[in-house]
Amino acid sequence: MKKITFIGTGYVGLVGGAGISEFGHQVTCVDIDQEKIERLNAGEIPIYEPGLKTLVKKNVNKGRLHFSANISKIIQKSDIVFITVGTPQGSNGEANLSVVEAVAKTIGENLNGYKIVCTKSTVPIGTGKRIEEIIRSVNSMGDFDYVSNPEFLREGAAVKDFLHPDRVVIGTRTQKAIDLMEEVYRPLYINETPILSTSVETAEMIKYAANAFLSLKISYINEIANLCESVGADVHEVARAMGLDGRISSKFLHPGPGYGGSCFPKDTHALAATGQKYGSPLRTIEAAIKTNESQKVRMVEKLSRLMGDSVNGKTIAVLGLAFKPQTDDVREAASRVIVSKLVELGASVHAYDPIAMDNFKNHFPNIKYFDSWQDAVKSADGCIILTEWNEFRGLDLNELKDLMRFPVILDTKNILSIQGLESCGFTFDNVGRKLHQ
Ligand code: UDX
């Protein structure tokens, strides 16, 4: 059993802290946000993540998971300190590392015996070296090993991804650190999860290379979908056949309004910026970023076309605001760009999302929000689906048609039946599918 600290109790820190306490270690999640710590100590979970509340509660009750704002004291008592603070995108596309650097300094000031300092946040290649330098600059005699242990969890499936990962990457220099990290992940080791030991720089690169590749895959299928529309092909059939080739795989070949979230947009920009910095540009990734941006705008153009070439003065129901289902996160969501453009073009937006409305209100306080999809579509001139929530997959098309002023719908997630829409008399469009059966 190891004593472990997570500095930064956001998505990665809270899921990671709860997950590692589940592996049997003594974990304390710390944060400078005193209020957040008080809420966690009162049993409140600040983010929505399936299974997280139960996992936190279980491990708090077992006495293995704690929350504290006393960062220095907790670091001193730890064997392993995970850095899980945010790395937002700076104005130049590169990740902003000021918080990571401040944390490294605090760790250096509290190194009172051998510890592992391990970064889980996604940080640009070379950050590990920088963190080591900062720690040494405040504590030249400090005894520690640095580890890069990138996190691959998906929002909405984060607990499952943490407890059953495809692989664990441990980037470090010494065998002592590898052994200790393997002990942390021991239950996975027994499950035969691949545990890859690499250099720090390689581990840092793996995370970016993986996320950028997935973004590339999505932008690729979105462009294929757009071409399918022009040539009369069906992107789902194309994607299915492509995916049956084991070299390609069927995952991440779903077309849509453009990817969003806290990782892909930020990580692709950061990797592209790193490529430029080292004179080794990643042109494929730069193209994937551009394609993603234009895909969002394309959705507004499609909707305008469906509505007689203008949304000005029209009421548009927007169903789904989260960047994907099972999350209340709206960071970089396609909805942000699309709603903003619709408002700019003079539309009145009536929005509904099962759980992401509160977060969306922080960015768009002036559009109208409704408590059900039925209320949002009432008397609307057109409707656009942006998130594939299950309740939209099953929505009653007759009821939808009766509620709307005009039966016009853009299904950007291709979740509605074309046959159903046709037989109900909808004017509709989707992404990359034939419009007639
Ligand atoms: C992603 C990675 O999957 C994860 O490994 C990494 O650590 C963090 O980033 P996440 O951002 O939570 O996770 O969501 P993910 O499910 O990967 O979806 C990202 C975006 O891509 C969403 O907007 C989603 O709608 C979109 N997407 C995904 C598609 O448009 N098509 C697809 O085929 C898959």
Side-chain angles (χ1 to χ4, degrees):
M1 187 273 295
K2 294 283 158 215
K3 289 198 192 105
I4 297 174
T5 300
F6 278 77
I7 303 184
T9 309
Y11 258 104
V12 177
L14 188 56
V15 174
I20 284 187
S21 66
E22 177 72 11
F23 293 162
H25 302 287
Q26 273 292 331
V27 175
T28 307
C29 292
V30 300
D31 207 291
I32 45 165
D33 184 343
Q34 180 90 40
E35 198 195 311
K36 190 190 246 181
I37 294 299
E38 278 165 19
R39 284 175 61 192
L40 282 159
N41 274 326
E44 249 181 83
I45 306 291
I47 50 169
Y48 174 79
E49 194 61 49
L52 184 57
K53 199 171 182 158
T54 316
L55 192 72
V56 168
K57 199 171 163 203
K58 176 182 165 194
N59 285 289
V60 166
N61 289 344
K62 293 236 178 218
R64 291 192 295 238
L65 180 60
H66 314 268
F67 302 101
S68 170
N70 193 340
I71 300 182
S72 302
K73 192 174 123 211
I74 304 295
I75 292 173
Q76 288 168 21
K77 287 186 178 169
S78 303
D79 303 311
I80 299 167
V81 180
F82 280 97
I83 302 176
T84 47
V85 292
T87 53
Q89 190 179 312
S91 50
N92 55 356
E94 285 189 51
N96 177 346
L97 293 176
S98 54
V99 182
V100 169
E101 292 179 352
V103 167
K105 192 163 169 277
T106 308
I107 295 172
E109 287 160 356
N110 290 284
L111 268 187
N112 57 341
Y114 178 80
K115 292 183 200 306
I116 281 188
V117 178
C118 174
T119 303
K120 257 201 175 306
S121 308
T122 302
V123 290
I125 302 126
T127 305
K129 210 164 144 216
R130 173 91 191 106
I131 291 174
E132 283 189 70
E133 280 164 14
I134 293 173
I135 296 176
R136 297 231 177 275
S137 74
V138 290
N139 190 341
S140 59
M141 301 301 283
D143 188 11
F144 72 101
D145 274 315
Y146 180 79
V147 175
S148 166
N149 172 219
E151 190 48 67
F152 299 96
L153 53 82
R154 288 165 301 167
E155 287 181 29
V159 170
K160 187 174 148 277
D161 284 352
F162 194 89
L163 298 177
H164 306 281
D166 290 334
R167 77 300 208 188
V168 173
V169 176
I170 296 172
T172 191
R173 264 196 295 269
T174 70
Q175 191 57 44
K176 184 176 178 184
I178 295 172
D179 293 345
L180 274 165
M181 290 303 291
E182 282 185 356
E183 216 178 310
V184 170
Y185 287 106
R186 198 172 166 70
L188 300 179
Y189 203 65
I190 295 165
N191 278 350
E192 295 186 5
T193 305
I195 305 216
L196 309 173
S197 153
T198 69
S199 73
V200 170
E201 287 73 20
T202 302
E204 290 171 341
M205 179 57 116
I206 288 169
K207 174 64 195 263
Y208 280 103
N211 271 0
F213 184 75
L214 293 171
S215 310
L216 193 65
K217 233 180 144 179
I218 299 168
S219 276
Y220 179 78
I221 202 66
N222 279 339
E223 286 199 318
I224 293 292
N226 299 344
L227 184 57
C228 280
E229 290 170 9
S230 306
V231 301
D234 185 307
V235 71
H236 285 281
E237 289 168 22
V238 173
R240 183 167 147 69
M242 279 172 66
L244 288 170
D245 183 331
R247 294 170 301 175
I248 297 175
S249 119
S250 59
K251 307 235 173 84
F252 280 71
L253 283 181
H254 303 289
Y259 60 76
S262 64
C263 290
F264 290 170
K266 176 166 73 78
D267 294 351
T268 44
H269 276 102
L271 187 60
T274 305
Q276 288 295 345
K277 183 171 154 189
Y278 286 93
S280 186
L282 290 149
R283 296 188 191 92
T284 47
I285 304 307
E286 288 168 6
I289 295 169
K290 283 206 188 97
T291 300
N292 197 52
E293 280 159 9
S294 56
Q295 189 70 0
K296 299 175 197 169
V297 177
R298 197 180 151 88
M299 296 305 117
V300 178
E301 290 164 357
K302 262 176 175 290
L303 186 62
S304 292
R305 258 198 311 278
L306 279 180
M307 307 196 58
D309 277 335
S310 172
V311 293
N312 188 16
K314 309 269 172 67
T315 298
I316 308 288
V318 175
L319 301 187
L321 301 168
F323 80 97
K324 65 175 196 177
Q326 305 305 329
T327 177
D328 62 354
D329 198 338
V330 299
R331 279 178 287 177
E332 301 283 342
S335 59
R336 299 266 290 267
V337 172
I338 291 168
V339 167
S340 160
K341 286 245 177 278
L342 289 173
V343 171
E344 197 183 298
L345 293 170
S348 160
V349 172
H350 287 195
Y352 168 70
D353 187 286
I355 56 170
M357 287 196 288
D358 283 346
N359 283 339
F360 207 75
K361 275 179 199 163
N362 295 330
H363 306 280
F364 294 90
N366 296 326
I367 61 167
K368 290 196 179 129
Y369 295 90
F370 294 85
D371 289 335
S372 68
W373 69 261
Q374 285 91 342
D375 287 338
V377 303
K378 213 170 271 171
S379 304
D381 299 297
C383 175
I384 180 168
I385 294 181
L386 291 178
T387 318
E388 65 276 37
W389 286 103
N390 277 340
E391 65 177 282
F392 304 150
R393 286 180 195 276
L395 57 79
D396 181 333
L397 294 178
N398 284 312
E399 188 184 359
L400 176 65
K401 188 184 173 190
D402 289 346
L403 288 167
M404 293 181 75
R405 181 176 299 134
F406 297 107
V408 178
I409 189 159
L410 173 58
D411 174 15
T412 72
K413 288 289 179 175
N414 297 350
I415 54 175
L416 302 178
S417 140
I418 293 178
Q419 214 175 7
L421 288 165
E422 249 189 332
S423 61
C424 283
F426 273 89
T427 301
F428 65 95
D429 200 356
N430 53 39
V431 181
R433 302 197 74 188
K434 285 190 209 148
L435 295 182
H436 305 287
Q437 285 292 336

